[in-house]
mmCIF file of all heavy atoms in Angstrom:
data_model
loop_
_atom_site.group_PDB
_atom_site.id
_atom_site.type_symbol
_atom_site.label_atom_id
_atom_site.label_comp_id
_atom_site.label_asym_id
_atom_site.label_seq_id
_atom_site.Cartn_x
_atom_site.Cartn_y
_atom_site.Cartn_z
ATOM 1 N N SER A 223 18.464 39.521 64.487
ATOM 2 C CA SER A 223 19.513 40.220 65.164
ATOM 3 C C SER A 223 20.876 40.100 64.463
ATOM 4 O O SER A 223 21.850 40.800 64.867
ATOM 5 C CB SER A 223 19.662 39.708 66.615
ATOM 6 O OG SER A 223 19.907 38.331 66.590
ATOM 7 N N ASN A 224 21.001 39.310 63.420
ATOM 8 C CA ASN A 224 22.220 39.213 62.663
ATOM 9 C C ASN A 224 22.395 40.327 61.653
ATOM 10 O O ASN A 224 23.421 40.412 60.977
ATOM 11 C CB ASN A 224 22.338 37.826 61.995
ATOM 12 C CG ASN A 224 22.818 36.740 62.889
ATOM 13 O OD1 ASN A 224 22.606 36.792 64.108
ATOM 14 N ND2 ASN A 224 23.427 35.706 62.340
ATOM 15 N N LEU A 225 21.421 41.177 61.562
ATOM 16 C CA LEU A 225 21.536 42.359 60.753
ATOM 17 C C LEU A 225 22.619 43.266 61.282
ATOM 18 O O LEU A 225 22.736 43.466 62.501
ATOM 19 C CB LEU A 225 20.231 43.183 60.744
ATOM 20 C CG LEU A 225 20.210 44.482 60.002
ATOM 21 C CD1 LEU A 225 20.210 44.236 58.473
ATOM 22 C CD2 LEU A 225 18.961 45.321 60.394
ATOM 23 N N ILE A 226 23.522 43.723 60.436
ATOM 24 C CA ILE A 226 24.636 44.599 60.834
ATOM 25 C C ILE A 226 24.275 46.007 60.467
ATOM 26 O O ILE A 226 24.021 46.367 59.322
ATOM 27 C CB ILE A 226 25.931 44.168 60.081
ATOM 28 C CG1 ILE A 226 26.394 42.804 60.621
ATOM 29 C CG2 ILE A 226 27.063 45.227 60.393
ATOM 30 C CD1 ILE A 226 27.650 42.285 59.998
ATOM 31 N N GLY A 227 24.206 46.848 61.521
ATOM 32 C CA GLY A 227 23.727 48.224 61.273
ATOM 33 C C GLY A 227 22.272 48.317 61.093
ATOM 34 O O GLY A 227 21.501 47.367 61.424
ATOM 35 N N GLU A 228 21.830 49.409 60.484
ATOM 36 C CA GLU A 228 20.391 49.540 60.189
ATOM 37 C C GLU A 228 19.997 48.955 58.891
ATOM 38 O O GLU A 228 20.767 49.024 57.905
ATOM 39 C CB GLU A 228 20.054 51.061 60.289
ATOM 40 C CG GLU A 228 20.289 51.720 61.635
ATOM 41 C CD GLU A 228 19.866 53.164 61.660
ATOM 42 O OE1 GLU A 228 19.193 53.592 60.687
ATOM 43 O OE2 GLU A 228 20.182 53.866 62.635
ATOM 44 N N GLU A 229 18.797 48.469 58.796
ATOM 45 C CA GLU A 229 18.278 47.943 57.531
ATOM 46 C C GLU A 229 18.275 49.076 56.495
ATOM 47 O O GLU A 229 17.822 50.192 56.750
ATOM 48 C CB GLU A 229 16.867 47.394 57.749
ATOM 49 C CG GLU A 229 16.279 46.759 56.486
ATOM 50 C CD GLU A 229 14.894 46.168 56.735
ATOM 51 O OE1 GLU A 229 14.508 45.985 57.930
ATOM 52 O OE2 GLU A 229 14.199 45.941 55.763
ATOM 53 N N GLY A 230 18.762 48.762 55.310
ATOM 54 C CA GLY A 230 18.793 49.712 54.213
ATOM 55 C C GLY A 230 20.048 50.570 54.121
ATOM 56 O O GLY A 230 20.243 51.311 53.174
ATOM 57 N N ASN A 231 20.932 50.349 55.069
ATOM 58 C CA ASN A 231 22.198 51.139 55.057
ATOM 59 C C ASN A 231 23.404 50.353 54.518
ATOM 60 O O ASN A 231 24.514 50.727 54.614
ATOM 61 C CB ASN A 231 22.582 51.630 56.463
ATOM 62 C CG ASN A 231 21.786 52.842 56.881
ATOM 63 O OD1 ASN A 231 21.035 53.397 56.074
ATOM 64 N ND2 ASN A 231 21.972 53.281 58.094
ATOM 65 N N GLY A 232 23.085 49.200 53.892
ATOM 66 C CA GLY A 232 24.153 48.291 53.491
ATOM 67 C C GLY A 232 25.043 48.858 52.413
ATOM 68 O O GLY A 232 26.273 48.623 52.458
ATOM 69 N N LEU A 233 24.506 49.645 51.478
ATOM 70 C CA LEU A 233 25.356 50.222 50.441
ATOM 71 C C LEU A 233 26.345 51.209 51.008
ATOM 72 O O LEU A 233 27.538 51.157 50.720
ATOM 73 C CB LEU A 233 24.488 50.866 49.338
ATOM 74 C CG LEU A 233 25.234 51.527 48.185
ATOM 75 C CD1 LEU A 233 26.105 50.484 47.479
ATOM 76 C CD2 LEU A 233 24.312 52.220 47.286
ATOM 77 N N CYS A 234 25.832 52.091 51.838
ATOM 78 C CA CYS A 234 26.739 53.098 52.505
ATOM 79 C C CYS A 234 27.799 52.394 53.337
ATOM 80 O O CYS A 234 28.955 52.780 53.289
ATOM 81 C CB CYS A 234 25.939 54.012 53.352
ATOM 82 S SG CYS A 234 26.881 55.302 54.216
ATOM 83 N N GLN A 235 27.369 51.371 54.102
ATOM 84 C CA GLN A 235 28.335 50.623 54.942
ATOM 85 C C GLN A 235 29.378 49.957 54.056
ATOM 86 O O GLN A 235 30.599 49.901 54.420
ATOM 87 C CB GLN A 235 27.581 49.593 55.730
ATOM 88 C CG GLN A 235 26.660 50.232 56.816
ATOM 89 C CD GLN A 235 25.749 49.237 57.495
ATOM 90 O OE1 GLN A 235 24.852 49.613 58.248
ATOM 91 N NE2 GLN A 235 25.937 47.941 57.244
ATOM 92 N N THR A 236 28.964 49.392 52.908
ATOM 93 C CA THR A 236 29.920 48.730 52.053
ATOM 94 C C THR A 236 30.972 49.636 51.444
ATOM 95 O O THR A 236 32.145 49.374 51.420
ATOM 96 C CB THR A 236 29.158 48.018 50.863
ATOM 97 O OG1 THR A 236 28.267 47.048 51.437
ATOM 98 C CG2 THR A 236 30.102 47.377 49.918
ATOM 99 N N LEU A 237 30.483 50.845 51.022
ATOM 100 C CA LEU A 237 31.406 51.837 50.416
ATOM 101 C C LEU A 237 32.422 52.293 51.439
ATOM 102 O O LEU A 237 33.594 52.487 51.097
ATOM 103 C CB LEU A 237 30.616 53.021 49.855
ATOM 104 C CG LEU A 237 29.690 52.699 48.658
ATOM 105 C CD1 LEU A 237 28.856 53.892 48.233
ATOM 106 C CD2 LEU A 237 30.456 52.120 47.476
ATOM 107 N N THR A 238 31.978 52.518 52.697
ATOM 108 C CA THR A 238 32.941 52.927 53.705
ATOM 109 C C THR A 238 33.930 51.751 53.995
ATOM 110 O O THR A 238 35.123 52.042 54.161
ATOM 111 C CB THR A 238 32.187 53.239 55.007
ATOM 112 O OG1 THR A 238 31.307 54.316 54.766
ATOM 113 C CG2 THR A 238 33.151 53.615 56.140
ATOM 114 N N THR A 239 33.454 50.547 54.015
ATOM 115 C CA THR A 239 34.334 49.375 54.208
ATOM 116 C C THR A 239 35.369 49.293 53.093
ATOM 117 O O THR A 239 36.556 49.043 53.353
ATOM 118 C CB THR A 239 33.497 48.116 54.307
ATOM 119 O OG1 THR A 239 32.566 48.216 55.441
ATOM 120 C CG2 THR A 239 34.372 46.873 54.501
ATOM 121 N N LEU A 240 34.920 49.503 51.899
ATOM 122 C CA LEU A 240 35.812 49.369 50.770
ATOM 123 C C LEU A 240 36.891 50.439 50.732
ATOM 124 O O LEU A 240 37.996 50.241 50.251
ATOM 125 C CB LEU A 240 35.018 49.407 49.422
ATOM 126 C CG LEU A 240 34.222 48.149 49.108
ATOM 127 C CD1 LEU A 240 33.382 48.352 47.861
ATOM 128 C CD2 LEU A 240 35.123 46.924 48.976
ATOM 129 N N ASP A 241 36.573 51.622 51.234
ATOM 130 C CA ASP A 241 37.604 52.686 51.325
ATOM 131 C C ASP A 241 38.803 52.177 52.141
ATOM 132 O O ASP A 241 39.995 52.302 51.706
ATOM 133 C CB ASP A 241 37.020 53.924 51.978
ATOM 134 C CG ASP A 241 36.181 54.784 51.034
ATOM 135 O OD1 ASP A 241 36.302 54.554 49.816
ATOM 136 O OD2 ASP A 241 35.410 55.638 51.518
ATOM 137 N N GLY A 242 38.516 51.589 53.261
ATOM 138 C CA GLY A 242 39.589 51.067 54.068
ATOM 139 C C GLY A 242 40.287 49.836 53.437
ATOM 140 O O GLY A 242 41.498 49.722 53.498
ATOM 141 N N GLY A 243 39.478 49.031 52.759
ATOM 142 C CA GLY A 243 40.030 47.854 52.090
ATOM 143 C C GLY A 243 40.992 48.226 50.958
ATOM 144 O O GLY A 243 41.961 47.521 50.733
ATOM 145 N N ARG A 244 40.718 49.425 50.300
ATOM 146 C CA ARG A 244 41.572 49.841 49.237
ATOM 147 C C ARG A 244 42.955 50.221 49.758
ATOM 148 O O ARG A 244 43.962 50.049 49.055
ATOM 149 C CB ARG A 244 40.904 50.977 48.477
ATOM 150 C CG ARG A 244 39.790 50.470 47.627
ATOM 151 C CD ARG A 244 38.818 51.551 47.155
ATOM 152 N NE ARG A 244 37.758 50.913 46.312
ATOM 153 C CZ ARG A 244 36.675 51.512 45.958
ATOM 154 N NH1 ARG A 244 36.421 52.755 46.339
ATOM 155 N NH2 ARG A 244 35.739 50.860 45.239
ATOM 156 N N ILE A 245 43.016 50.781 50.940
ATOM 157 C CA ILE A 245 44.295 51.034 51.568
ATOM 158 C C ILE A 245 45.078 49.772 51.707
ATOM 159 O O ILE A 245 46.282 49.689 51.420
ATOM 160 C CB ILE A 245 44.130 51.763 52.912
ATOM 161 C CG1 ILE A 245 43.482 53.155 52.705
ATOM 162 C CG2 ILE A 245 45.464 51.889 53.619
ATOM 163 C CD1 ILE A 245 43.149 53.880 53.987
ATOM 164 N N SER A 246 44.412 48.699 52.137
ATOM 165 C CA SER A 246 45.068 47.408 52.350
ATOM 166 C C SER A 246 45.570 46.808 51.037
ATOM 167 O O SER A 246 46.692 46.257 50.988
ATOM 168 C CB SER A 246 44.097 46.428 53.032
ATOM 169 O OG SER A 246 43.790 46.808 54.321
ATOM 170 N N ILE A 247 44.767 46.906 49.983
ATOM 171 C CA ILE A 247 45.234 46.381 48.692
ATOM 172 C C ILE A 247 46.440 47.176 48.198
ATOM 173 O O ILE A 247 47.361 46.611 47.653
ATOM 174 C CB ILE A 247 44.090 46.411 47.701
ATOM 175 C CG1 ILE A 247 42.945 45.475 48.076
ATOM 176 C CG2 ILE A 247 44.612 45.982 46.253
ATOM 177 C CD1 ILE A 247 43.344 44.033 48.202
ATOM 178 N N GLY A 248 46.401 48.510 48.403
ATOM 179 C CA GLY A 248 47.601 49.258 48.025
ATOM 180 C C GLY A 248 48.791 48.866 48.861
ATOM 181 O O GLY A 248 49.931 48.737 48.316
ATOM 182 N N ALA A 249 48.624 48.569 50.128
ATOM 183 C CA ALA A 249 49.719 48.147 50.991
ATOM 184 C C ALA A 249 50.292 46.791 50.567
ATOM 185 O O ALA A 249 51.513 46.580 50.541
ATOM 186 C CB ALA A 249 49.238 48.050 52.446
ATOM 187 N N ILE A 250 49.420 45.832 50.165
ATOM 188 C CA ILE A 250 49.889 44.557 49.652
ATOM 189 C C ILE A 250 50.724 44.788 48.442
ATOM 190 O O ILE A 250 51.806 44.196 48.262
ATOM 191 C CB ILE A 250 48.735 43.585 49.333
ATOM 192 C CG1 ILE A 250 47.950 43.217 50.575
ATOM 193 C CG2 ILE A 250 49.271 42.364 48.549
ATOM 194 C CD1 ILE A 250 46.739 42.345 50.274
ATOM 195 N N SER A 251 50.349 45.658 47.555
ATOM 196 C CA SER A 251 51.048 45.934 46.325
ATOM 197 C C SER A 251 52.393 46.528 46.612
ATOM 198 O O SER A 251 53.403 46.179 45.926
ATOM 199 C CB SER A 251 50.250 46.903 45.426
ATOM 200 O OG SER A 251 49.021 46.296 45.007
ATOM 201 N N VAL A 252 52.519 47.359 47.563
ATOM 202 C CA VAL A 252 53.805 47.929 47.956
ATOM 203 C C VAL A 252 54.692 46.805 48.445
ATOM 204 O O VAL A 252 55.896 46.734 48.121
ATOM 205 C CB VAL A 252 53.644 49.051 49.032
ATOM 206 C CG1 VAL A 252 54.988 49.501 49.562
ATOM 207 C CG2 VAL A 252 52.896 50.217 48.431
ATOM 208 N N GLY A 253 54.152 45.918 49.292
ATOM 209 C CA GLY A 253 54.938 44.780 49.823
ATOM 210 C C GLY A 253 55.424 43.848 48.722
ATOM 211 O O GLY A 253 56.624 43.455 48.682
ATOM 212 N N LEU A 254 54.572 43.525 47.757
ATOM 213 C CA LEU A 254 54.950 42.708 46.632
ATOM 214 C C LEU A 254 56.076 43.316 45.807
ATOM 215 O O LEU A 254 57.037 42.716 45.455
ATOM 216 C CB LEU A 254 53.748 42.427 45.738
ATOM 217 C CG LEU A 254 52.652 41.487 46.309
ATOM 218 C CD1 LEU A 254 51.393 41.592 45.443
ATOM 219 C CD2 LEU A 254 53.112 40.072 46.442
ATOM 220 N N ALA A 255 55.886 44.651 45.573
ATOM 221 C CA ALA A 255 56.894 45.354 44.774
ATOM 222 C C ALA A 255 58.243 45.448 45.507
ATOM 223 O O ALA A 255 59.284 45.311 44.849
ATOM 224 C CB ALA A 255 56.399 46.763 44.420
ATOM 225 N N GLN A 256 58.168 45.676 46.821
ATOM 226 C CA GLN A 256 59.385 45.741 47.592
ATOM 227 C C GLN A 256 60.170 44.419 47.520
ATOM 228 O O GLN A 256 61.379 44.417 47.329
ATOM 229 C CB GLN A 256 59.072 46.083 49.003
ATOM 230 C CG GLN A 256 60.301 46.199 49.967
ATOM 231 C CD GLN A 256 61.156 47.370 49.622
ATOM 232 O OE1 GLN A 256 60.642 48.474 49.326
ATOM 233 N NE2 GLN A 256 62.485 47.195 49.637
#
Side-chain angles (χ1 to χ4, degrees):
S223 58
N224 279 27
L225 177 71
I226 293 179
E228 296 181 12
E229 184 177 343
N231 280 356
L233 180 60
C234 179
Q235 293 170 189
T236 298
L237 294 176
T238 299
T239 299
L240 287 175
D241 282 344
R244 286 165 181 165
I245 295 174
S246 293
I247 296 298
I250 294 175
S251 296
V252 172
L254 290 168
Q256 181 67 42

